[in-house]
Amino acid sequence: MYLDTDFLGTLLKQLGTQSSAAAEAYIMAHEYGHHAQDLLGTLSKAHASGDQTEPKSASVRLELQADCYADAYLKWTSQNRDDVIDNVTCDNLTKVVEAARAVGDDHIQHQSSGSVQPDKWTHGSSHMRVHWAQRGFDTGNPAKCDTFSTSNLR
């Protein structure tokens, strides 16, 4: 996996959130979540569905699941003294939630065009992304991240 750290900082700044070790770990863990989806076959099934836009699309479900996986990992880091993030504090979680909010389709669309068009969403709303990230952290269990079996993505 390749991440351009300069771009990452610029992106977070443009989206209106601060860079922090926790926010960066969340973004990296989200991308690793996509790798897990690939290994599990979830990614190929979602892409084969052809359902790529709108609030309940397969694309949005993939992104929300990756958010959930990311924060399940952060829960693990908060309980493992040997991980790269020493202690996940309330301040860290606030920055993670801000990063999740900042990458919501509604937030990005509003910033770029002043309007929100849910029929063009590919990643989910800020509220949806925060909800699934919080679910991952609250449960710490990737099995609780099944966005494909629920009709209520929030």
Side-chain angles (χ1 to χ4, degrees), residues 13-33:
K13 192 174 189 178
Q14 286 175 341
L15 293 174
T17 192
Q18 295 178 342
S19 182
S20 70
E24 290 171 12
Y26 156 73
I27 292 168
M28 289 175 46
H30 172 96
E31 296 307 323
Y32 276 108

Side-chain angles (χ1 to χ4, degrees), residues 22-64:
E24 290 171 12
Y26 156 73
I27 292 168
M28 289 175 46
H30 172 96
E31 296 307 323
Y32 276 108
H34 287 311
H35 178 64
Q37 290 169 328
D38 186 38
L39 294 174
L40 295 168
T42 310
L43 202 59
S44 60
K45 286 179 192 173
H47 288 162
S49 75
D51 182 19
Q52 301 305 310
T53 58
E54 297 187 313
K56 292 188 178 185
S57 67
S59 179
V60 167
R61 290 173 188 275
L62 281 172
E63 295 300 330
L64 298 178

